[in-house]
Structures are given as C-alpha cells and as structure tokens.
Amino acid sequence: MLHPSVIEQTRISSCPRDDTQPNNDMQLLMDVISRLNGSYALLVKSIYYPGQLVACKKGSPLILGLRGSEHAQRLSPRPSMVGLQSPTRNRLVGFQSQRTDGINHGMECFLSSDAAALVEHTKDVLVLDDGDIVHISNGDLCFFNVQIDGETGGMTPRRKNPELTRLDMEVEQIMKGGYDHFMEKEIFEQPETLLQTMKGRVLFDDLPISQPRVKLGGLMDHLDTIRRCGRLVIIACGTSYNAGLACRPALEKLVAMPVSMELASDLLDRQTPIFRDDACIFMSQSGETADTLCSLEFALKRGALCVGITNTVGSAIARLTHCGVHLNAGAEIGVASTKAYTSQIVVLLIMALALSGDRISSIEMRNEIIQGLESLSEAVETALKLDSKISALASSLENEHSLLIFGRGSNYATAVEGALKVKEVSLMHSEGILAGEMKHGPLALVDEHMPILVVATPDSLYSKMLSVIEQLKARGANLIVVCSENDDKIISAAGRDAVLLPVPSLQEYLQPVVNIIPLQLLAYHLAVKRGHNVDQPRNLAKSVTVSEES
Amino acid sequence: MLHPSVIEQTRISSCPRDDTQPNNDMQLLMDVISRLNGSYALLVKSIYYPGQLVACKKGSPLILGLRGSEHAQRLSPRPSMVGLQSPTRNRLVGFQSQRTDGINHGMECFLSSDAAALVEHTKDVLVLDDGDIVHISNGDLCFFNVQIDGETGGMTPRRKNPELTRLDMEVEQIMKGGYDHFMEKEIFEQPETLLQTMKGRVLFDDLPISQPRVKLGGLMDHLDTIRRCGRLVIIACGTSYNAGLACRPALEKLVAMPVSMELASDLLDRQTPIFRDDACIFMSQSGETADTLCSLEFALKRGALCVGITNTVGSAIARLTHCGVHLNAGAEIGVASTKAYTSQIVVLLIMALALSGDRISSIEMRNEIIQGLESLSEAVETALKLDSKISALASSLENEHSLLIFGRGSNYATAVEGALKVKEVSLMHSEGILAGEMKHGPLALVDEHMPILVVATPDSLYSKMLSVIEQLKARGANLIVVCSENDDKIISAAGRDAVLLPVPSLQEYLQPVVNIIPLQLLAYHLAVKRGHNVDQPRNLAKSVTVSEES
C-alpha cells in the first residue's frame, strides 16, 4: 500500500481521460521502448513517479483484468497498486489496483501474462496488442498505442479505445479439485477434456455418405483452400510439436499431401523457405509461445495460409492466424502439458478427416477413425486404471539415471513426448528414439541395466515392433512394454521379467492418445517419488513467451 | 577342409558349365527362396550336398571375390570352401574356395557382404544382383538369375554371364597404419579425405563469373532437372541423416527450395507421400543401408528423381539412383562413421553450390564457401590438435552417466551427431538437443551435476547461442564449449570453470565440419577410457543391411 502523501503527488501527474497526448512519464517510457530489441511485456514503476504504473508489450502477452461494476461504463477509477501472487509461479506477477482512501469505488485492475492468473479475480479482461501502453495512475487508467513512423523512425502515441473481452474459463479449472497436483488432475481429466474437444465437431450418428461427419466451424471456409495448397507445414515447440508428429502419418495418409514438421525455433534459425501455397499449422496450448508466434509472423509475411490450433481464446496466435480451431480442453495449469497434448492430436485428426471428407477412397478409414473417436474417452479411462501399477513401476525406476523409449510410426511421437514428460517433471534423462534408427547407434546403450520402454500396440507396424522387442531382448534388455491386452506374441517376446502396460486397442491413428497415458502417469509418479515439484518443474515456465533474440 | 570322399560325391552333382538348367540342390534352394519374405544374403551348406556352397541374395549386399590368373578367362575352377575371418566383425563371414587336391589351380573364391573384407585377398569381384544364385561345387562355379513369373508365380532360373568389377580400394585403407583403432585413424585422416572429396570438383582459382567453380561429373546432366523439382528430400539413416541435417540450412539458403529430411525407416513406416517432382537424395556410406535402399525403391516407383551419395563404387544405391556423387573418402572400417560424415557434408555443400551456380544473388556467399573449402583441410588439422586436451576432458567425464549437447542452425546436426558418436562407442547416454527447444523441457535436466556441451562458434545465430550459454550458467551448469579462439564474449559468459574447445572459424555452413572434430575425439577417448571396443561397439554393425520387415 502506498503512502497517502505519495498518492497526493500522483494525482497531479495523472493523465486526464480526454487528453490525446501522453504526459512526461509516458514520454520517458516511449524513449525506453524505442531502444528495446526483441519481445517484452513490461510493468514499470519508478520512485520518481510514485503511485503510477505503466505497462507495455511487444511480442510477449499482457492482459489487463478489470473488476467492479463501473468499468464497463468508465475506464478511469482512481486505482493504486498492490502486488499480487499469481496461483502458479512463472507468470508475470499481476498488480491489483484499489483506491487508497479505503472506500471501494467499484473497480480494481490486474495485470498478468496469463488469463489463468486473472480468472479467480475477474473474467473481464483487455488483451493488449503490440505497442499498447497502459498508464495507471491514482486517478486514471489511460490507453495508448504507439506506432513507429516509417520515415522518421519517431513514435506517435495515439489514444485507443480498448475492447473488453470476457474470459471463457471457470475458477474450478484453476483449482486442484481433490488432486495433489495440477498435472495429476489434468491427466485424469482427459476422458472429459477429449469429449469437450470433440463436442459438436464429430457426428457419431449413422449419416448418409453425402453428409459430412465432422464440423470445424473455424476452418469451414478454408478447407478447400487448404486442400489446394502444395504442402502442410506444422510449426510448434515442445509438446505441441510432438502432437503434430503423432498426427503426421494420419495427415499424410488421409490428405495425401506432403506434411513438413518444423520446430518453431529451428524454422526461425534456418529462415526456412515458406511459400504462398503452403498451409502452415501453428500449434500452441497458450497461443503465446514466442517462437511459434514469431514463426507465424514469418509465414504471414510470405503469404502462406496460417491455421492456428490453441487452447486459449483471444491468444495472439488465435488472433493472428487466418483460421483455426480451439482445443476446448480447459485451462492447463501444470507446466508439463498433458491434456492439451491429447486434445491437440484429436483436433489434428478431426482436421485430417475434414480435409479428406470429399475422398471416396478414404471413406472406410474415416469411418474407422470416427468409430474410434466415439470410444476414445472410454479407452483413456481404462488406460488410467494402470495408475497403481505404474506407481509401483515408478518406485522400481526412481533411482535410475536414464530411460530410453522406443516407438515408430504414430508412436514415435509417443516415445518422444513420453521422454519429454519424464525429463520435465522427474528430471531423469529420458530419450524418445525412433525404433527404426535403433541399429544406427542407440542399440549400443542397451544392456540389462538400462531401463527401456517400448510402445508396441497393434498397428500396421506391429511386426516390426515385435522384431525390435526380440532384438532388445537378445541384448539382455529388461523391458517395459505398452501393448494391447492379452497380446500373447508380445508377452512371449518380451519375456517373463518384462513389465507390461496393457492399454485398449483403437484405430491406429488414435492409439497415440491412449498410449501416452501410461507415460504421463509414469512421469508423474517418478517426479513425486523423486521428490520434485511436479507442477513447477525446475527451470521451466508454463508458456515460453520469450525467445533468444539474434 | 572337407574329407576327400565327400568331395568325390560332390563331383557327381556339380553343374556342368554349359548346362542351362540348375540341378537338384539348386532346385531346393529356389524352393526355399520362394518362401522367404524380406531381405537376405544367404550362404547355404548342407550335409546332404557336401563340398558345395550355394549363395543367393535379395536386398542385402553380397560380393564374390575371385583370386588367381585364370578367372578372367574361365569362371569354373574346382574350388572347395574354407571359412575365413573378415577383418572387422559384423560382416557376413566370407568363404575361401580352393582345390582340395593340394595343387593350386590358380583361382580362389571369397564371398562377403562388404568389399572391405575382400580387398586384402583380391580386387576382382562380382557384385551379385537380386535373384542371383552362385553355385560353387568342387568342380564348378555357376551363375543363375532367378526371375519370378508374373502369371504363375513360378521361378525360372536363367544362366547368367557375370560381369567382373575391379575394386578401387587399397589394402592400406583397411590397415590401422600406426593408430590403435580404425576410428582414431579415420578421425585423423580427415584433412586428407576432405581434400580427396573436393579433388577435381572445386576450382579454387580466380575464375570469371561466367565459369562454374564447382564440377560434379555425376550430376552435371541433372542439375537443371533438380532445380526444376518442387522440393529436395534427403533420405538417410544415422550419421548420414545427420550430415543432411548439417547442410539443410545451406541448401535452403542457396537453392531456395523446400528441403525435407526423412529418416529412411520412418519414411517407410509412414509411407510418406513422394511425388514425381521431388528430387530425393539418398545418403549412405556403404551404399547398402537396407532402409535407405528400400526407400530408394519406394521413391523410384513414384517416379521421383533419385540422387545417390555413397562412399562405395558399385554399391546398390550407387547403381540404382539416376545420378549421384561419390565421397571418395576411402574405405571406412570403424563402425562409428567419422570421415564419411565430414565428406558427406562437403559433397552436399558442393551440390548446393552447383545447384545455385546460376544465381547472381548468391555469388558472394558461394565465393565465401569456396574460400572456406580451400582452407577446410587446414582448419580440420588445427582442430585435431585439441586431441590431448580432449583426452584429459574425457578422463574427467568417464564416470558420468549422461551428456547433453546443445546446438542450433547447422550445428544442431553437430549436437545430434556428436551425441550419436558418444552413444555408439562410449556407451554413455548422450543426447543432442536443439538449443531453441531447451526451454520446452530439456532445461529441467540442467544443474551443476549434468555435463553439458554447447556448440557456439560464430555464425548468424551466435547471439542466440550466447544467450543459451547465459541461461545454462544461470542454472549452475558446468559447461564445455566448442567456440572460436579468443572469443571473449563466450569466455566470459561460460565462466571460469568452463572447458573451452577452440576451433578455427570458417564460413558458417562449413563450420559443422570443423566443429564435429572435437566431438569425434571426445567420443573416441571416452570409449577408450571406459574400456569399450571402439571399432566394434557393442550391438552394432558397420552397415545396417537388414531392416525390420512388416
């Protein structure tokens, strides 16, 4: 709480609402901004301008939350600033503004980089654009947008009328609801979140062939344009990239277009050639991932059709793409992404179904996938019953240094994503390896001491995976195998000592959704048993909204 | 040596040279072949047909070596078979055929999957094609080729006149020449092998602009066709794939085409869409890598233009591609590929130069690269002087469980390839990680205990790597840094405890060739200090000529 005398001073320098020019302290901020390179979201307080706060952003997200009855009519109460703790670490700490005379005049202000940090205080928010400056002083709340003059390089601030948005998020979503950790809650939520993701988008009724069985409102007008593109380029980071990897075979098969995968930072590093006839799919849970966002700007400049898949309505990627799909998976709080991953796969699959909807040759496969989607939630529910078995497995592995995970086809992604989860939360060196590359190096690591997990559910590559298991056994490996129930061939190949993690069998392109469940649980239990902070792993942030600038 | 009475029996069933039909034991082999799926190279001996050997192949390589004065005139001495050890493990053991009456009639036969195993015995070889059957009995050497009848599915053997090839390989190439291990020898050979790879292909004289400065005989007639393709697809396994990864930025920049990277096994698993207007580049040191070869057949069927880059004249990939380039790096014996990797990068770069040769906008960059190529051998020589420093570093790391290697841009490949070398020979769990992905998970593994190597030589991504080093330091990491000499910024960012491995600076696309040297040396010394077999690492073969069949 600021000292009243300080507040008194502030009133003098506050900017009157009808003024179209910023005052001195704003000018100072613009001077600072003009010298900054790269992305930022800044909240500036100064002892020279007490009782005031100036906020600005470029690239990184910044959201202003407003609470109180008046704000819709009048955006200038007389706030002061109070430091607030966000419910999870790794977000910009927000500031709460209140009148300091002790009387509640009806409005408080909150600033944060993430809507989830605001929702327990208010649902009414203003999403700041690049160049926006918010000036909160004890008397007023003013908005400017600063445009750089192309000729002089000078900055011209213009008064801006901000647009209020209502958050589509419930407080329960950011509570643990009886679970010990957000990650655990979000893993167990998946049967429900997957249904939410499919809701209204997949029609499970027996429809005549002429009628489309999937509907993606946000893509409807662009399906034909995407089909006419030369290739699909999936651009993402971390877990979102892995979700793309899981669906690449399905997209290639159903849509019969070349599908390129790009890690967003690598695309920027390489300045990858992107063409006007590319359809680029940007995936990010938060919709604010810095490298993905920069890649989006890169692709927009080159005229590519840009499709967004995010979990956050109103996020930068959702706003800047030409079209897109929301995951509807609900807020994800745990830093290690779980439910967003499975929803991303389902959305990409639905997109593959929509894009191939006019192809007679793929009717059968489309129907199989739709049938599979109908039982997906139940299959995930069944897989979650492995929890106690996996908890015991985690106990036996907790002192290991390494874990190798082998998969191929769609389940190469399962291996990579499983390894990423183990890395992130349990801090164990885990690596996902393409089973087909095993003989080109990784096999040297295999002996009776190295824990190895193999994903070998029945699909078109089943016999290849069986052969992989045989070869690993021949080198004395002790195996953990994700397989289908009562798979005698696998059971006999993996040997008596193997730990089997049986999961329900689905159409092969859906299998990665089910197969990742035991790996998510394994990462979670390993983290708990190794005594690490599950929801806020060492060194990591939920949304990586900064990137290395060159 | 077979018993004389057995030999007597054999003579009866031997096939006379002018006979166009195979005899009974051949018929038996054909029955067996008709039931086999997948790739194989078989040598069959039976107690029922003593004194005889039948060899056949499909997919996997098989080479028959002939020694003696007569063989050019007459391909039917009276050989018997003696087991032979090949100079390196993991090759099909050859058989030596000699007359059993003790008199040398002038010809011996050797069978092996790899020319390097034959060269110390003979340079005259017959490379078997798919469907070829060699029948060696005490009396004769007969060749057949079996064709499957499209209608009946029956097999028709046809007598074949084999074509003799002369190996372009010297015995010294398969000797260790004063080094303890082939891997060590091959690492230190690189200044020389790189010159061999460039010889006659890069013109270092100051030529007028209209004159091309690179010449690739094997590609000359196809350059225009490649330029008109829709994309380049690099298809390979293991180290060869990593060489492609190292050159991808250069190809994208110079040729301005989309460049896709495909692990051969993954391409087959996914049945990746390949189109007629794709130019596919197949890379394999041996030219016989099973998955790469199958991918080549896959791409040929789809009408793509297929380019081969191999180190083995007459190999399957060299023969089946439309055009290509040889590495000329000399036989590589160590299972962990070293000199082939650097030569592959140089060949791809020369190819990038050739493909962009008509573009005025890239003249400056091409000239820089050509200048860099001129000093490349010397730069590698300088980098090799780090040997004793790296040996000491290896001593300090020998008991570690893990090693993380970070790189980005062209040096993402350096990180991945370096980690592969460490995995292969020192059996330490090492992982190459894209530095841009660090914050999306891997950073959680970073603390003062985890050994971390960063590749941060000066290039367009230098400041990003500097920021990566700062962030790693902020998490307490003890770093090993491959950097340029006297790089004060890096030295101060990496801190006092950091181990610096300074290497010469070259044009950025050539830097991966120099940067991999310290990592090859590190893998080598780690392997020696940890007491592992450097040249024949546990579980691995030199050329992976088998794949999992589905």
Side-chain angles (χ1 to χ4, degrees):
Chain A
M1 194 72 75
L2 298 167
H3 194 274
S5 73
V6 175
I7 298 297
E8 200 58 34
Q9 243 184 299
T10 317
R11 282 187 188 152
I12 300 160
S13 67
S14 71
C15 101
R17 275 195 312 130
D18 50 5
D19 189 358
T20 55
Q21 287 305 311
N23 44 17
N24 286 345
D25 46 341
M26 284 283 291
Q27 194 57 53
L28 195 59
L29 182 72
M30 285 194 293
D31 283 352
V32 172
I33 292 175
S34 69
R35 287 154 206 245
L36 292 178
N37 281 323
S39 303
Y40 52 81
L42 294 176
L43 307 190
V44 184
K45 275 177 68 68
S46 160
I47 51 163
Y48 298 107
Y49 298 98
Q52 301 189 39
L53 177 80
V54 205
C56 60
K57 67 145 261 170
K58 189 183 133 197
S60 303
L62 191 58
I63 304 172
L64 172 68
L66 299 172
R67 180 162 70 182
S69 55
E70 298 177 354
H71 63 72
Q73 291 87 45
R74 183 168 180 275
L75 282 174
S76 60
R78 301 184 162 210
S80 74
M81 285 133 278
V82 184
L84 256 194
Q85 271 310 104
S86 80
T88 57
R89 207 182 51 172
N90 292 322
R91 296 203 171 89
L92 270 183
V93 172
F95 282 85
Q96 182 175 16
S97 294
Q98 272 181 334
R99 262 194 76 151
T100 47
D101 54 12
I103 305 163
N104 189 346
H105 284 242
M107 195 176 101
E108 291 164 293
C109 303
F110 306 84
L111 280 157
S112 170
S113 65
D114 193 327
L118 297 179
V119 70
E120 59 179 309
H121 306 290
T122 179
K123 289 191 180 181
D124 293 318
V125 299
L126 295 162
V127 181
L128 272 64
D129 288 325
D130 281 356
D132 278 359
I133 299 179
V134 187
H135 182 202
I136 305 171
S137 77
N138 192 39
D140 272 293
L141 186 63
C142 300
F143 279 85
F144 288 94
N145 188 279
V146 174
Q147 300 297 336
I148 295 171
D149 189 307
E151 278 179 35
T152 65
M155 286 180 154
T156 322
R158 288 188 212 290
R159 179 108 196 159
K160 186 178 164 174
N161 286 323
E163 235 177 84
L164 215 62
T165 313
R166 196 153 170 88
L167 287 181
D168 181 23
M169 193 187 274
E170 296 301 325
V171 177
E172 301 80 62
Q173 292 187 357
I174 59 155
M175 310 298 277
K176 288 183 192 156
Y179 289 95
D180 291 336
H181 300 96
F182 283 113
M183 184 182 180
E184 189 188 13
K185 174 192 170 219
E186 287 158 5
I187 291 174
F188 280 90
E189 254 175 20
Q190 289 175 100
E192 181 51 35
T193 54
L194 290 168
L195 288 178
Q196 285 303 319
T197 300
M198 289 186 271
K199 200 171 169 182
R201 292 170 170 171
V202 189
L203 307 172
F204 296 119
D205 321 292
D206 209 0
L207 294 170
I209 189 173
S210 59
Q211 217 135 316
R213 296 190 61 187
V214 290
K215 270 187 198 171
L216 287 171
L219 277 192
M220 208 129 69
D221 296 339
H222 291 82
L223 286 178
D224 267 336
T225 319
I226 298 174
R227 279 186 206 114
R228 284 183 205 119
C229 284
R231 63 173 179 161
L232 294 177
V233 187
I234 299 179
I235 300 166
C237 298
T239 293
S240 301
Y241 177 88
N242 296 343
L245 210 55
C247 293
R248 188 187 194 188
L251 279 163
E252 289 180 329
K253 179 79 180 173
L254 284 167
V255 191
M257 278 165 76
V259 180
S260 290
M261 297 291 311
E262 292 287 349
L263 284 162
S265 65
D266 193 36
L267 177 136
L268 295 170
D269 287 351
R270 283 165 31 228
Q271 298 281 300
T272 309
I274 293 285
F275 300 88
R276 235 191 114 71
D277 72 335
D278 286 336
C280 299
I281 302 174
F282 297 86
M283 301 218 294
S284 160
Q285 191 279 133
S286 66
E288 300 284 355
T289 311
D291 286 326
T292 311
L293 192 51
C294 291
S295 303
L296 169 56
E297 283 160 11
F298 180 88
L300 284 171
K301 266 189 209 155
R302 281 146 188 84
L305 178 71
C306 295
V307 184
I309 299 181
T310 78
N311 196 28
T312 314
V313 178
S315 61
I317 291 175
R319 282 177 289 135
L320 296 174
T321 41
H322 297 115
C323 55
V325 189
H326 281 292
L327 298 182
N328 298 340
E332 192 177 61
I333 309 288
V335 167
S337 177
T338 50
K339 61 178 183 172
Y341 175 74
T342 47
S343 284
Q344 282 170 331
I345 297 179
V346 166
V347 161
L348 274 179
L349 280 176
I350 298 176
M351 193 187 284
L353 293 173
L355 286 170
S356 66
D358 203 29
R359 297 183 64 200
I360 293 172
S361 60
S362 63
I363 287 180
E364 201 177 326
M365 180 171 285
R366 282 205 306 278
N367 286 342
E368 278 170 29
I369 294 174
I370 289 171
Q371 269 173 31
L373 286 171
E374 194 164 7
S375 52
L376 183 60
S377 170
E378 206 180 313
V380 169
E381 191 85 56
T382 309
L384 285 167
K385 292 189 181 134
L386 288 168
D387 191 43
S388 56
K389 185 170 189 179
I390 291 172
S391 172
L393 173 64
S395 298
S396 72
L397 292 176
E398 68 174 297
N399 295 317
E400 297 290 349
H401 295 284
S402 283
L403 172 67
L404 303 185
I405 307 182
F406 287 97
R408 69 195 307 158
S410 299
N411 284 309
Y412 171 43
T414 309
V416 174
E417 169 63 9
L420 181 59
K421 289 300 97 143
V422 173
K423 264 198 194 104
E424 282 179 309
V425 297
S426 74
L427 317 191
M428 184 190 280
H429 188 190
S430 176
E431 188 177 359
I433 297 173
L434 184 74
E437 276 288 286
M438 184 176 75
K439 290 182 192 146
H440 297 281
L443 201 54
L445 295 180
V446 176
D447 62 15
E448 64 276 23
H449 305 298
M450 173 68 80
I452 294 174
L453 191 149
V454 181
V455 185
T457 40
D459 58 21
S460 55
L461 306 170
Y462 176 74
S463 64
K464 287 188 182 184
M465 282 312 294
L466 200 59
S467 153
V468 164
I469 288 175
E470 284 162 359
Q471 291 172 57
L472 289 168
K473 279 307 285 180
R475 273 76 182 188
N478 288 314
L479 298 177
I480 306 157
V481 187
V482 177
C483 56
S484 88
E485 310 212 13
N486 305 318
D487 187 329
D488 293 335
K489 278 192 195 170
I490 296 278
I491 293 169
S492 99
R496 242 163 230 244
D497 316 327
V499 178
L500 300 176
L501 301 174
V503 293
S505 294
L506 288 182
Q507 198 283 339
E508 76 173 281
Y509 296 134
L510 289 168
Q511 201 65 51
V513 178
V514 181
N515 292 356
I516 196 62
I517 304 293
L519 293 175
Q520 291 174 341
L521 290 170
L522 181 61
Y524 172 73
H525 286 297
L526 273 174
V528 172
K529 285 178 207 296
R530 286 160 72 96
H532 298 304
N533 186 333
V534 176
D535 285 326
Q536 293 162 7
R538 186 170 76 179
N539 305 341
L540 299 182
K542 175 63 183 161
S543 343
V544 182
T545 54
V546 288
S547 65
E548 275 73 55
E549 301 297 332
S550 61
Chain B
M1 196 71 74
L2 298 166
H3 194 274
S5 70
V6 174
I7 300 298
E8 200 58 35
Q9 242 183 302
T10 319
R11 281 186 188 154
I12 301 160
S13 68
S14 71
C15 102
R17 275 196 311 132
D18 50 6
D19 190 359
T20 56
Q21 286 304 312
N23 44 18
N24 286 345
D25 45 340
M26 284 283 291
Q27 194 56 54
L28 196 58
L29 182 73
M30 286 195 292
D31 283 354
V32 172
I33 292 174
S34 69
R35 287 154 206 245
L36 292 179
N37 281 324
S39 303
Y40 52 82
L42 294 176
L43 307 189
V44 184
K45 277 178 64 68
S46 161
I47 51 164
Y48 297 108
Y49 297 99
Q52 300 190 39
L53 177 81
V54 207
C56 60
K57 67 144 262 171
K58 191 183 132 198
S60 303
L62 192 58
I63 304 172
L64 173 68
L66 298 171
R67 179 161 71 181
S69 56
E70 296 177 357
H71 63 72
Q73 292 86 46
R74 185 171 177 274
L75 284 173
S76 59
R78 301 184 158 209
S80 73
M81 286 132 280
V82 185
L84 256 194
Q85 273 308 105
S86 79
T88 56
R89 207 182 53 171
N90 293 321
R91 299 206 167 88
L92 270 183
V93 171
F95 281 86
Q96 181 175 16
S97 294
Q98 273 181 333
R99 261 193 78 153
T100 46
D101 55 11
I103 305 164
N104 189 347
H105 284 243
M107 195 176 100
E108 293 164 292
C109 303
F110 307 84
L111 281 158
S112 170
S113 63
D114 193 325
L118 297 179
V119 71
E120 59 177 311
H121 307 291
T122 179
K123 289 191 180 180
D124 293 317
V125 300
L126 296 162
V127 180
L128 273 64
D129 288 325
D130 281 356
D132 278 0
I133 299 179
V134 188
H135 182 201
I136 305 171
S137 78
N138 192 38
D140 273 293
L141 186 64
C142 299
F143 280 85
F144 289 95
N145 187 280
V146 175
Q147 300 296 336
I148 295 171
D149 189 308
E151 278 179 33
T152 65
M155 286 182 157
T156 322
R158 287 189 212 291
R159 179 105 196 159
K160 185 179 165 174
N161 287 322
E163 235 177 87
L164 214 62
T165 312
R166 195 152 171 89
L167 287 181
D168 180 24
M169 194 186 274
E170 297 301 325
V171 177
E172 302 78 65
Q173 293 188 354
I174 59 154
M175 310 299 276
K176 288 181 193 157
Y179 290 95
D180 291 337
H181 300 95
F182 282 114
M183 184 181 179
E184 189 188 13
K185 176 191 167 219
E186 288 158 5
I187 291 173
F188 280 89
E189 255 176 18
Q190 289 176 102
E192 181 51 35
T193 53
L194 289 169
L195 289 178
Q196 285 303 317
T197 300
M198 289 187 271
K199 199 172 169 182
R201 291 170 171 170
V202 188
L203 308 172
F204 296 119
D205 321 291
D206 209 1
L207 293 171
I209 190 173
S210 59
Q211 217 136 315
R213 298 189 60 186
V214 292
K215 270 186 196 170
L216 287 170
L219 276 192
M220 208 131 66
D221 296 339
H222 292 82
L223 285 178
D224 268 336
T225 319
I226 297 173
R227 280 186 206 116
R228 285 183 203 118
C229 284
R231 63 172 178 163
L232 294 176
V233 187
I234 300 179
I235 301 166
C237 299
T239 293
S240 301
Y241 177 87
N242 296 343
L245 211 54
C247 294
R248 188 189 196 187
L251 280 164
E252 288 180 329
K253 179 78 179 174
L254 285 168
V255 192
M257 280 165 75
V259 180
S260 291
M261 296 292 312
E262 291 287 350
L263 284 162
S265 65
D266 192 37
L267 178 136
L268 296 168
D269 286 352
R270 285 165 29 228
Q271 298 281 299
T272 309
I274 293 284
F275 300 89
R276 234 191 114 71
D277 72 337
D278 286 336
C280 299
I281 302 175
F282 297 85
M283 301 218 294
S284 159
Q285 190 279 132
S286 66
E288 301 284 354
T289 311
D291 286 326
T292 312
L293 193 51
C294 291
S295 303
L296 170 56
E297 283 160 9
F298 181 89
L300 284 171
K301 267 190 208 153
R302 280 148 187 84
L305 178 71
C306 295
V307 184
I309 298 181
T310 78
N311 197 27
T312 314
V313 177
S315 61
I317 291 175
R319 281 178 289 134
L320 296 173
T321 40
H322 297 115
C323 55
V325 189
H326 281 292
L327 298 183
N328 298 339
E332 192 177 61
I333 309 289
V335 167
S337 176
T338 50
K339 62 177 182 172
Y341 175 73
T342 47
S343 284
Q344 282 170 330
I345 296 179
V346 166
V347 161
L348 274 179
L349 279 177
I350 298 177
M351 193 188 284
L353 293 173
L355 286 170
S356 65
D358 203 26
R359 297 183 65 200
I360 293 173
S361 60
S362 63
I363 286 181
E364 201 178 328
M365 181 172 285
R366 282 205 306 279
N367 286 343
E368 279 170 28
I369 294 174
I370 289 172
Q371 270 173 28
L373 287 171
E374 195 165 7
S375 53
L376 183 61
S377 171
E378 205 178 315
V380 169
E381 192 84 56
T382 308
L384 285 167
K385 293 190 181 133
L386 288 168
D387 191 43
S388 57
K389 183 169 189 180
I390 291 172
S391 172
L393 173 64
S395 299
S396 72
L397 292 175
E398 68 175 296
N399 295 317
E400 297 290 348
H401 295 285
S402 284
L403 173 67
L404 302 186
I405 306 181
F406 288 97
R408 68 194 309 156
S410 298
N411 285 309
Y412 171 42
T414 309
V416 174
E417 169 63 8
L420 181 60
K421 289 300 97 138
V422 173
K423 265 198 193 103
E424 281 179 309
V425 298
S426 73
L427 317 190
M428 183 190 281
H429 187 191
S430 176
E431 188 177 359
I433 296 173
L434 184 74
E437 276 289 285
M438 184 176 76
K439 289 182 192 146
H440 297 281
L443 201 55
L445 294 181
V446 175
D447 61 14
E448 64 278 23
H449 305 299
M450 172 70 79
I452 294 175
L453 192 150
V454 181
V455 185
T457 40
D459 58 20
S460 54
L461 306 171
Y462 175 75
S463 63
K464 287 187 182 183
M465 283 313 295
L466 200 59
S467 153
V468 164
I469 289 175
E470 284 161 0
Q471 290 171 59
L472 289 168
K473 279 308 285 182
R475 273 77 182 187
N478 288 314
L479 298 177
I480 306 158
V481 187
V482 177
C483 57
S484 89
E485 309 213 15
N486 305 318
D487 187 330
D488 292 335
K489 278 192 195 170
I490 296 279
I491 292 170
S492 100
R496 245 164 226 241
D497 315 328
V499 178
L500 300 176
L501 302 174
V503 294
S505 295
L506 288 182
Q507 197 282 340
E508 76 172 282
Y509 296 134
L510 289 168
Q511 201 65 50
V513 178
V514 181
N515 292 356
I516 195 64
I517 304 293
L519 294 174
Q520 291 174 341
L521 289 170
L522 180 61
Y524 172 74
H525 287 295
L526 273 174
V528 172
K529 286 179 206 297
R530 286 160 70 96
H532 299 304
N533 186 333
V534 176
D535 285 326
Q536 292 161 8
R538 186 170 76 178
N539 306 341
L540 300 181
K542 176 63 185 162
S543 340
V544 182
T545 54
V546 288
S547 64
E548 274 73 55
E549 301 296 332
S550 61

